[in-house]
């Protein structure tokens, strides 16, 4: 059974770090060959509010797996370095 993976991003950010983190997190998910839903909070206020309520945070990107808040790229990257990310997403 596949996991339900949700990624909240923003297409309207001027921050280079956020752009890089979003791209890197998408690449990490794609490298693991998992399907995920991406929500662009720049064009969807309801999703933005949903994201903030679920995580208690306003930072992006945000990754949720089976409804659980995992974190952003930094947290996903640490899990990958520790060899735990693949088990989490697959």
């Amino acid at each position: 059974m596949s996991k339900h993976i949700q990624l909240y991003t923003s297409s309207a950010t001027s921050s280079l770090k956020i752009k890089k983190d979003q791209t890197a997190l998408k690449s990490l998910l794609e490298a693991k060959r998992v399907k995920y839903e991406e929500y662009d909070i720049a064009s969807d206020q309801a999703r933005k509010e949903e994201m903030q309520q679920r995580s208690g945070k306003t930072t992006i990107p945000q990754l949720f797996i089976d409804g659980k808040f995992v974190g952003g790229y930094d947290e996903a990257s640490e899990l990958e370095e520790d060899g735990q990310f693949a088990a989490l997403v697959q």
Side-chain angles (χ1 to χ4, degrees):
M1 185 172 151
S2 62
K3 305 260 178 125
H4 184 221
I5 301 173
Q6 298 168 298
L7 180 61
Y8 292 83
T9 61
S10 177
S11 61
T13 180
S14 58
S15 166
L16 187 58
K17 179 178 177 4
I18 291 172
K19 287 179 183 177
K20 284 182 176 180
D21 283 357
Q22 291 180 156
T23 301
L25 188 46
K26 287 184 220 180
S27 294
L28 182 57
L29 289 167
E30 289 163 7
K32 299 299 178 194
R33 299 186 193 281
V34 295
K35 293 182 181 180
Y36 62 93
E37 294 177 77
E38 182 177 1
Y39 305 120
D40 183 357
I41 64 168
S43 60
D44 191 336
Q45 186 62 32
R47 287 288 185 189
K48 181 178 182 178
E49 291 170 6
E50 172 188 271
M51 175 196 79
Q52 291 172 344
Q53 288 175 348
R54 292 176 74 191
S55 69
K57 300 183 181 293
T58 58
T59 56
I60 48 175
Q62 288 191 19
L63 179 65
F64 290 81
I65 299 174
D66 286 341
K68 181 181 175 217
F69 178 56
V70 174
Y73 173 69
D74 292 341
E75 291 80 6
S77 177
E78 287 177 23
L79 289 166
E80 174 66 2
E81 287 178 19
D82 292 343
Q84 300 173 6
F85 190 74
L88 195 62
V89 298
Q90 295 173 336

